Amino acid sequence: MSKKYKLLVCCGNGAGTSMMIKLNVEKVTKKMGLDVQEIRHCAVSEGKSAASGFDIVLCSKNFVSMFADAEKRGTKIVGLKNVMSAKEIEEGLLAATAE
């Protein structure tokens, strides 16, 4: 049985940008055939405390260090240089889901 992934998308304020990233992540995960249980978007400040409840966190590269605790607990952190790039999102998810 394949793993069902829980994804968290974070941006500075948790409003517009994270919602747009979430929509791109939804498109990319469908294209990849990734089994997704949940995709949630929020501000980095909220995501920091919620991150360890997710399998993968996607955020801008400049926020990656804020998720060090979650990463120590096994959450994969995908730092994106261009948060709107479907290609970059796909590459990050491929790396994060590689067994």
Side-chain angles (χ1 to χ4, degrees):
M1 188 169 160
S2 68
K3 178 174 176 59
K4 283 189 174 284
Y5 291 94
K6 289 178 69 177
L7 309 178
L8 181 64
V9 176
C10 296
C11 75
N13 296 321
T17 305
S18 64
M19 184 57 174
M20 291 189 313
I21 302 167
K22 179 186 176 198
L23 294 173
N24 274 344
V25 169
E26 287 172 347
K27 289 177 194 169
V28 169
T29 55
K30 281 186 183 127
K31 177 186 166 205
M32 292 172 65
L34 203 61
D35 198 356
V36 176
Q37 178 181 340
E38 175 185 0
I39 302 175
R40 187 169 142 211
H41 72 97
C42 65
V44 171
S45 56
E46 181 188 340
K48 220 171 106 169
S49 57
S52 41
F54 290 82
D55 301 300
I56 302 169
V57 173
L58 295 101
C59 63
S60 174
K61 279 190 184 286
N62 55 329
F63 295 132
V64 168
S65 63
M66 297 179 80
F67 296 100
D69 288 343
E71 193 169 28
K72 287 177 193 161
R73 294 187 193 115
T75 300
K76 304 281 186 188
I77 311 302
V78 176
L80 302 167
K81 185 176 175 184
N82 176 356
V83 295
M84 300 313 293
S85 167
K87 180 180 185 289
E88 193 175 344
I89 290 168
E90 183 173 355
E91 289 167 356
L93 288 173
L94 281 170
T97 58
E99 294 298 321

